[in-house]
Amino acid sequence: MIGFSLFFIILQYIFNIQMKYYRVIFKIIGLEDTLHDPSFFIEDVWDIVAALAGEAGFESFEQENDRLVGYVQTTLFEQELLDQLLTTLPFDNLQVTYALEDAEDKNWNAAWEEAGYEPIVIDNRCVIHDMHHPAPAAIPLDITIDAQQAFGTGTHETTRMIVGCLLDLSLKGKRVLDCGCGTGILSIVAAKLEAKEVLGYDIDEWSVRNTEHNAQLNDVPAIKALLGDVSVLETVTGTFDIVLANINRNILMHDLPIISKHMAEHATLIISGFYEEDGTILQDLTASLGMQLAEKRTDNRWCMLRLER
C-alpha cells in the first residue's frame, strides 16, 4: 500500500496541489555568552539543527542573521521527533528553541527546483549539475541530479568529500551499498565508476523514488533503491565490497554494528555527515568492528573517514 506522505506528494505533482507549509524560526538561547568564545561557529549549530530537522520532515532552510528558518509541510511535520532530536545537540550552555507560523501559500519545493543550483566540479574529474544548468566541457564524469525533496545535490562538503574519495578508488566489478541514499548521487557516482551492482536505501519514500528517477536520468540501471532504515538489510542477500554512509553521527553509531555484518571480508567503509571532533568516537567504534582507518578528509570542519576491513 502506498505511504500516506507519498500519496500527497504524488497528488501535488499530478493535480498541482499547493501543499501547506510551516515556516519554523529556530533561535539559540545562550548565544550572547557563547559569541565571545573564539572556537564557536554559529554555522556549526545551524548545520546540525538542519540535519536533525531533516529527519523530522523539513525540506529547506535559510539563515537570517542569528536565526535559522526552516520550511516543512504541515502534513509531514513530526514535531515530537523534532523536540526529541533538539535535546541531543552537542553544545554546552546552549539551547535551540523554535516558533511555528504558517508560510506563504506557495509550492516552495517547486520554486526551489525551478531555481536549481550551479554546477559543482570535484577535482576537475566530476561535475554534478541540475536540469537547468549545463555541465562545463572536458569534465570526464558528468552527473545530472534532478533533486526533488531529497538531500544530496553535491553542494554539501560531506557529499563532495565522498565523491572525491570514490574517484580515487577502483570500483569496477564491486558491489556497493549506499546507506541513506537521498537523491542517489553517491550511488550514481559508484555506478558510473563501473560498480557491477549498487543498492541504496532510505527511510524517506520520496528519496527512494528520486534515486530511481536520477538513476534513469543518468542511464545507470545497476542501481536499486529500497525503502526503510538499516533493518531493511535483513532482506538483502550477500555482502558488499564498498559501503557508503553520509548520515549523522548518532545514526552512524546505531547503524554501523548492523551494517558491518553485511560487509565483505576486505570491504571498504566510507562515512561522513559529522564534524571532525566526532571522528575519534567513530574511529573507536569501527575499530571494535574490525576496521582500520585508511584515510581522513576534512572540509570546513566536516569530516570523512575511509576505513578498511
Side-chain angles (χ1 to χ4, degrees):
M1 179 176 292
I2 192 168
F4 181 79
S5 61
L6 180 58
F7 173 75
F8 276 97
I9 291 171
I10 291 173
L11 284 180
Q12 179 184 15
Y13 276 82
I14 294 177
F15 299 108
N16 197 29
I17 296 173
Q18 291 186 351
M19 292 296 185
K20 299 292 184 180
Y21 278 74
Y22 287 130
R23 184 173 184 264
V24 182
I25 303 167
F26 295 92
K27 295 182 179 180
I28 300 174
I29 304 299
L31 180 61
E32 289 299 323
D33 295 334
T34 312
L35 286 176
H36 299 293
D37 182 350
S39 66
F40 175 77
F41 294 92
I42 192 171
E43 289 80 7
D44 294 349
V45 180
W46 294 143
D47 282 340
I48 294 177
V49 169
L52 294 175
E55 297 178 34
F58 282 72
E59 297 174 10
S60 60
F61 301 88
E62 57 185 357
Q63 189 171 340
E64 296 181 355
N65 298 320
D66 60 350
R67 65 184 191 173
L68 183 73
V69 179
Y71 296 91
V72 58
Q73 288 187 34
T74 57
T75 56
L76 302 182
F77 181 33
E78 299 184 52
Q79 188 168 6
E80 290 185 6
L81 176 59
L82 177 64
D83 292 341
Q84 176 187 350
L85 292 170
L86 289 179
T87 65
T88 68
L89 287 171
F91 299 102
D92 296 332
N93 304 319
L94 283 182
Q95 287 183 307
V96 173
T97 63
Y98 63 87
L100 286 174
E101 60 183 42
D102 291 329
E104 180 184 348
D105 192 8
K106 64 184 286 187
N107 188 334
W108 291 95
N109 190 66
W112 182 87
E113 289 171 17
E114 184 177 352
Y117 57 93
E118 292 296 325
I120 300 104
V121 177
I122 300 172
D123 297 339
N124 286 320
R125 291 183 288 169
C126 176
V127 59
I128 301 161
H129 61 98
D130 63 13
M131 304 288 288
H132 307 287
H133 298 85
I139 303 295
L141 194 62
D142 185 335
I143 295 175
T144 303
I145 294 295
D146 183 17
Q148 300 170 338
Q149 296 184 325
F151 174 81
T153 59
T155 59
H156 199 274
E157 293 92 337
T158 58
T159 307
R160 296 198 304 266
M161 285 190 291
I162 294 180
V163 171
C165 183
L166 288 174
L167 292 171
D168 292 335
L169 299 180
S170 174
L171 273 68
K172 187 172 184 178
K174 301 293 179 64
R175 193 174 191 227
V176 177
L177 175 65
D178 184 2
C179 309
C181 51
T183 60
I185 183 170
L186 299 179
S187 293
I188 292 166
V189 170
K192 292 259 189 177
L193 292 174
E194 301 186 78
K196 71 173 181 180
E197 180 185 355
V198 184
L199 176 68
Y201 69 84
D202 203 292
I203 60 172
D204 180 67
E205 293 167 305
W206 193 251
S207 292
V208 172
R209 290 173 59 86
N210 199 205
T211 290
E212 294 171 342
H213 167 70
N214 285 320
Q216 293 177 353
L217 194 63
N218 288 273
D219 193 25
V220 281
I223 295 173
K224 181 180 179 182
L226 300 177
L227 175 63
D229 60 15
V230 68
S231 64
V232 78
L233 294 178
E234 295 175 4
T235 67
V236 177
T237 58
T239 57
F240 295 89
D241 304 299
I242 297 177
V243 176
L244 314 172
N246 189 12
I247 44 187
N248 74 53
R249 186 198 70 172
N250 291 339
I251 296 178
L252 284 171
M253 295 294 293
H254 176 272
D255 289 1
L256 283 176
I258 302 171
I259 291 170
S260 67
K261 297 176 182 177
H262 299 269
M263 294 173 59
E265 184 177 355
H266 299 291
T268 296
L269 172 68
I270 304 172
I271 56 175
S272 193
F274 51 90
Y275 281 101
E276 187 173 4
E277 51 264 36
D278 295 320
T280 300
I281 189 172
L282 286 163
Q283 284 182 241
D284 291 343
L285 174 61
T286 52
S288 72
L289 298 172
M291 300 177 224
Q292 294 184 336
L293 180 65
E295 180 184 1
K296 176 180 177 180
R297 300 188 186 195
T298 59
D299 187 347
N300 195 25
R301 296 187 64 202
W302 290 98
C303 184
M304 183 217 79
L305 302 177
R306 176 171 64 86
L307 306 118
E308 304 290 344
R309 168 168 281 178

